[in-house]
Amino acid sequence: MARRETPTVALGLLACCTGVVVLLLALILGFSIEGTPRAVADSAKGQRIAFPAVIAVLAGIVALGGRRHGWAFVVGILGALAAVVAVALAVLLPGG
């Protein structure tokens, strides 16, 4: 199990840090108080990218907390995949 501790920490940190950055982007996009179409599109984009980012942060924290257990590696992989989805949505969705 000790061989998987380093990759688990790396995956957990990747998921957690990437998720936090995307969550901050979603928060910034959601702070529009205007009623323009661009502001509505930005707010919708922020709401769509926040969900996988929250999953990435939570999975990263769980993977870091349980890094000595075998299941933590799988949770770290799921967190990293959620972070990739959050970044892909942040880049591909219109708005922002």
Side-chain angles (χ1 to χ4, degrees):
M1 294 292 173
R3 290 183 283 162
R4 285 197 176 175
E5 189 170 340
T6 303
T8 303
V9 170
L11 287 172
L13 284 175
L14 173 75
C16 199
C17 294
T18 306
V20 166
V21 169
V22 174
L23 274 177
L24 288 175
L25 175 65
L27 187 65
I28 290 170
L29 288 172
F31 271 147
S32 282
I33 56 173
E34 302 173 16
T36 62
R38 178 184 165 114
V40 172
D42 288 348
S43 180
K45 179 178 180 176
Q47 290 176 1
R48 286 188 184 116
I49 65 175
F51 184 70
V54 167
I55 292 173
V57 170
L58 292 177
I61 291 171
V62 169
L64 289 173
R67 65 184 173 267
R68 294 196 172 118
H69 300 286
W71 52 263
F73 184 71
V74 176
V75 173
I77 290 173
L78 292 175
L81 288 175
V84 167
V85 169
V87 170
L89 287 175
V91 171
L92 296 175
L93 286 177

